[in-house]
Amino acid sequence: MEYRNKTPNLTYLNECFFYDKTSGVLIWRVRPPHHFKTKRGMLGFNTRFAGKEAGYVNNGYRMIRITGASYLSHRLIWKMVRGEEPPVHIDHIDMNRSNNRIDNLRCASKSNNACNQGLRSDNKSGYVGVYKRSDGPAWYFQITKEGKTYSRHGFKSAEDAHYNRMKELPDHHGEFSHIPE
């Protein structure tokens, strides 16, 4: 599977941005004349943006618009640091979508990336993967990986179901397990 927006070439990206490895942000460089149709466009852009953090935040992810398309910042960073087209799925290890330090990014399958998710907005238990049975007082947990769901039920509380889910999570999700502190 190929990602829908192939990133611009590496030379172009390096002409546009400086990557700050400490903060994980892309900073606009003074861009050269061949990036613009007019000198006025170049001067206006460079005056307004050079030296500033690139992009805008959308749904927690930093997005950058260049060459007529929008790109996720972490995909551009992957290419700039690794020198290769980014994989289809990139996981933010700490689940912080705006933390684009290269050591916080890893290649993931769609299933692996789904392992590392936070609490859903419709969750009523307060714990990821923990639900109350509709047919009785018992709580249960579930773990899904590669389209297969593993579940256990009969817990007296959400806390008990969560505790047991956390014990079993590494067996199913491996390094992509998200175990809250």
Side-chain angles (χ1 to χ4, degrees), residues 62-76:
R62 182 152 290 274
M63 303 288 295
I64 297 175
R65 186 154 179 85
I66 51 173
T67 65
S70 292
Y71 299 91
L72 291 161
S73 179
H74 62 273
R75 297 186 64 73
L76 300 179

Side-chain angles (χ1 to χ4, degrees), residues 3 7-8 19 52 65 84-85 119 135 171-172 180:
Y3 198 75
T7 57
Y19 174 59
K52 295 181 180 167
R65 186 154 179 85
E84 62 190 27
E85 198 62 34
L119 201 60
D135 60 351
D171 294 339
H172 299 275

